[in-house]
Amino acid sequence: MPSRLIGQTPGLSATPTRDRTDFDVRMAVTLEEAPWLGWILVKALVRFAFMVANNLVAIPSYLCYIIVLLPLRLLDSKRYWYLEGMMYKWLLGMVASWGWYAGYTVMEWGEDVKAISEDEAVMLVNHQATGDVCTLMMCLQDKGLVVAQMMWLMDHIFKYTNFGIVSLIHGDFFIRQGKSHRDQQLLLLKKHLENNYRSRDRKWIVLFPEGGFLRKRREISQSFAKKNNLPFLTHVTLPRVGATKIILRALVARQENGSPAGGDAKELDNKSKGLQWIIDTTIAYPKAEPIDIQTWILGYRKPAVTHVHYRIFPVKDVPLETDDLSDWLYQRFIEKEDLLSHFYETGAFPPPKGRKEAVSREMTLSNMWILLIQSFAFLSGYMWYSIFQYFYHCLF
């Protein structure tokens, strides 16, 4: 009996010793990380405070300028929307700068979309998180006037954010998801394009055909694919065709017997050549970990490079009939699946056909330009505050 107790003693004492050792290691790691975690917290709070201040001066200033410029809208609407577009681009540039200074940069692949920046185009983008919008705000800043002349199709929830009033004035379209709203929303989109697209000199439209985030739609999409004998996709979901069909039918200048279908040739030449390109845009995050808007603002995640791949299609090669257009869109997202699979396996997008290796381009923002637009925002905020304060004292 004593020998048995003696034999058990090492076993009984080994477990507490091992637990204490593991606990000491964890404590040491925690203590070593404490300064770093503290710095991340302080940095996040400073960034958030700056973002709030930025919004408090930039957005009200934008609204004040828009109100003051309203007479110009009656006299010269084209110049009015040009000035509005430039201020809109600066606001998006400020949002881009939050990610830029946190180390969230962009590497571009595929075809160079700068070459078609003055033509009308639709961007078809895969959707993984709220950071997708911020990524596009950043990587399109150096594409001429694209951002100033761009129209976004966004979920209606964005209407109620701090940026919602700016998007409403600019002419972005907020679409409500769900089967019960689908037909009505497509009719509203058609009307919106007719009333706002060319009258405001818009050139590009950004569309997320999947209709929601990947994590929310993947299971539904895979179930639909199984029932309809369609490809099983993991990195993207099957796109919805409705909004794309409306955009193409509303904006493409089809030719019939040498003249545009359903329109006056001279009038079309004076206004627009019509929609000319579709840009198939694929966003990929390292390790398939998307960046959301909270990360973009607070910057608590380590610096990361988001990769954006472009492929350009002439719109004349895109079918307009619903079934054919659906097949064409499905094919684009099957290609996206292959692109993303290759990227997650190798860390790079595959080379185009006929080439041995893919070439990437680092997208950069000018620090001087960011400084200028931020300075303009804060100086404008101070100016409008002084003006309102002066009138308040005059009246009261």
Side-chain angles (χ1 to χ4, degrees), residues 14-204:
T15 301
T17 302
R18 207 165 39 242
D19 289 344
R20 282 197 301 273
T21 303
D22 293 343
F23 176 76
D24 291 340
V25 170
R26 288 196 299 271
M27 282 296 293
V29 171
T30 304
L31 289 173
E32 287 177 3
E33 289 181 347
W36 178 77
L37 291 172
W39 165 243
I40 291 295
L41 178 61
V42 170
K43 188 172 70 171
L45 290 173
V46 171
R47 285 175 59 87
F48 182 73
F50 177 80
M51 183 274 292
V52 171
N54 206 176
N55 277 272
L56 287 175
V57 296
I59 294 177
S61 294
Y62 166 88
L63 297 175
C64 289
Y65 282 122
I66 288 298
I67 293 170
V68 169
L69 288 171
L70 280 176
L72 181 63
R73 183 175 179 179
L74 300 174
L75 299 171
D76 188 345
S77 64
K78 186 172 183 178
R79 190 175 299 276
Y80 169 85
W81 288 116
Y82 171 81
L83 293 173
E84 184 279 331
M86 293 305 297
M87 290 189 289
Y88 182 83
K89 178 180 178 177
W90 297 342
L91 288 174
L92 267 58
M94 292 174 200
V95 176
S97 72
W98 303 340
W100 177 256
Y101 287 122
Y104 306 139
T105 56
V106 174
M107 191 71 73
E108 297 181 306
W109 302 75
E111 298 179 82
D112 188 359
V113 296
K114 281 185 182 179
I116 61 168
S117 61
E118 295 183 7
D119 298 334
E120 291 186 23
V122 174
M123 295 190 80
L124 303 178
V125 191
N126 62 313
H127 209 10
Q128 301 178 64
T130 49
D132 298 341
V133 175
C134 299
T135 295
L136 292 174
M137 288 179 179
M138 176 184 285
C139 64
L140 296 176
Q141 284 291 330
D142 67 343
K143 308 297 188 293
L145 294 178
V146 162
V147 175
Q149 297 176 307
M150 177 177 284
M151 179 182 287
W152 297 75
L153 267 64
M154 297 181 283
D155 190 280
H156 80 288
I157 198 67
F158 285 100
K159 186 190 296 185
Y160 307 105
T161 65
N162 60 315
F163 208 77
I165 184 66
V166 176
S167 290
L168 281 170
I169 292 170
H170 183 71
D172 296 328
F173 183 76
F174 298 95
I175 192 164
R176 187 181 292 271
Q177 304 295 340
K179 290 183 179 179
S180 59
H181 303 289
R182 192 168 298 163
D183 292 339
Q184 181 194 26
Q185 291 298 298
L186 293 177
L187 288 173
L188 290 173
L189 173 59
K190 182 176 182 294
K191 186 177 180 181
H192 183 83
L193 291 171
E194 291 171 350
N195 294 337
N196 298 291
Y197 183 77
R198 296 221 163 88
S199 65
R200 301 187 184 199
D201 197 27
R202 300 294 172 244
K203 291 290 182 71
W204 283 28

Side-chain angles (χ1 to χ4, degrees), residues 190 243-254 275 320-322 325:
K190 182 176 182 294
T244 308
K245 181 179 71 173
I246 294 294
I247 291 169
L248 293 179
R249 289 189 173 180
L251 303 180
V252 172
R254 292 289 175 179
L275 192 67
L320 283 184
E321 297 302 319
T322 302
L325 180 58

Side-chain angles (χ1 to χ4, degrees), residues 283-323:
I283 299 176
Y285 297 95
K287 299 180 182 179
E289 297 175 353
I291 297 175
D292 55 29
I293 187 67
Q294 298 95 320
T295 306
W296 194 269
I297 292 170
L298 300 177
Y300 52 79
R301 215 166 110 176
K302 292 181 179 179
V305 180
T306 302
H307 298 258
V308 182
H309 183 279
Y310 305 109
R311 189 178 176 195
I312 302 172
F313 294 88
V315 79
K316 62 182 177 63
D317 296 337
V318 180
L320 283 184
E321 297 302 319
T322 302
D323 290 340

